Amino acid sequence: MGDDADREALLGLVSSLGERIRVDRRMGRPLSYLARSAAVVPSEIPAFATGEAGGGPLTSLEAVREALGECERCALARTRKRLVFGEGRADTGLVFVGEAPGAEEDLQGRPFVGRAGQLLTKIITAMGLQRERVYICNILKCRPPGNRNPRPEEIAACEPFLIRQLQTLRPRVICALGSFAAQTLLKTETPISVLRGRFHLYQGIPLMPTYHPAYLLRNPGAKKQVWEDVQLIMKRLQETG
Ligand code: SF4
């Protein structure tokens, strides 16, 4: 009887761990809680957890870029034209994080330079800021073919470098552009329509989700909500500046 109960308890544990891994993979969460387990495969361990990025503290964006190198940590390395690391200075305290490079960004190696990027630049200008003085990047640094959604293993491989960029930049506010960026960073499936309009925390930093400029191009009516969101960002930046 005792053996049966133990076996049942063990099966229950295995089943709930399996369910957690499935959910975390779907959400693109790092499986760092498996890192001490023999069951984990090296490709699932975030790069920084393995010391792959050089081990020591990365105190500048240049050091993070150098540690990233000509990255081949996920399959997107095979299809990208150019890696899009991110650009800007963030001395305004603001970082925008989108989903992944699109076709134009892939060609130029710069974030948000297509039509949606031009709209983002207009939004930044309307905030009274200069594009060069905010930092702009994406969760993924390489374009998914055909702009398909990023895959969990791609996010797990790439997000540690975004975290290092943010640790280096120390922004006072992050603006997550679009549903995918917001849901990935906040590890939630809550729709962007519910997430936007208030601050959340990412790695201890206030994060405001708002609609992606590409969505605004298709749905100009949503500009009003984006303007409300960026006003909250401006207020926070003024309060903490
Ligand atoms: S998406 Fe990120 S992890 Fe994948 S190859 Fe590009 S830089 Fe490396």
Side-chain angles (χ1 to χ4, degrees), residues 94-234:
L94 179 57
V95 172
F96 289 93
V97 181
E99 175 179 329
E104 195 56 38
E105 289 78 13
D106 186 45
L107 277 178
Q108 294 193 33
R110 295 180 56 210
F112 282 89
V113 287
R115 278 184 68 222
Q118 287 160 20
L119 181 52
L120 176 63
T121 304
K122 282 186 187 167
I123 293 169
I124 294 167
T125 307
M127 294 171 78
L129 303 172
Q130 295 167 289
R131 179 178 161 124
E132 306 71 46
R133 294 187 59 200
V134 301
Y135 196 80
I136 305 174
C137 56
N138 289 295
I139 291 170
L140 290 189
K141 303 188 187 315
C142 302
R143 182 191 183 207
N147 293 353
R148 66 155 169 76
N149 278 344
R151 293 182 176 148
E153 65 274 17
E154 295 160 357
I155 295 165
C158 214
E159 192 180 1
F161 290 91
L162 171 64
I163 292 172
R164 284 299 177 104
Q165 282 169 291
L166 294 171
Q167 285 172 344
T168 304
L169 290 161
R170 297 172 178 271
R172 283 179 282 132
V173 176
I174 296 169
C175 180
L177 296 167
S179 175
F180 195 89
Q183 290 180 339
T184 301
L185 294 176
L186 297 174
K187 316 296 184 208
T188 177
E189 292 182 318
T190 305
I192 183 78
S193 56
V194 176
L195 291 172
R196 60 151 294 273
R198 64 194 164 92
F199 283 103
H200 305 255
L201 276 184
Y202 175 73
Q203 303 282 325
I205 305 164
L207 181 147
M208 174 65 74
T210 196
Y211 293 118
H212 195 285
Y215 177 82
L216 292 186
L217 291 172
R218 299 190 300 272
N219 302 276
K223 284 181 184 171
K224 181 176 174 292
Q225 284 104 311
V226 171
W227 185 239
E228 288 167 5
D229 297 339
V230 298
Q231 281 182 313
L232 290 172
I233 292 173
M234 287 150 62

Side-chain angles (χ1 to χ4, degrees), residues 68 71-74 76-77 80 83 140-142 154 157-158:
L68 183 63
C71 183
E72 295 183 351
R73 291 171 180 82
C74 81
L76 296 180
R80 73 169 178 239
L83 190 151
L140 290 189
K141 303 188 187 315
C142 302
E154 295 160 357
C158 214

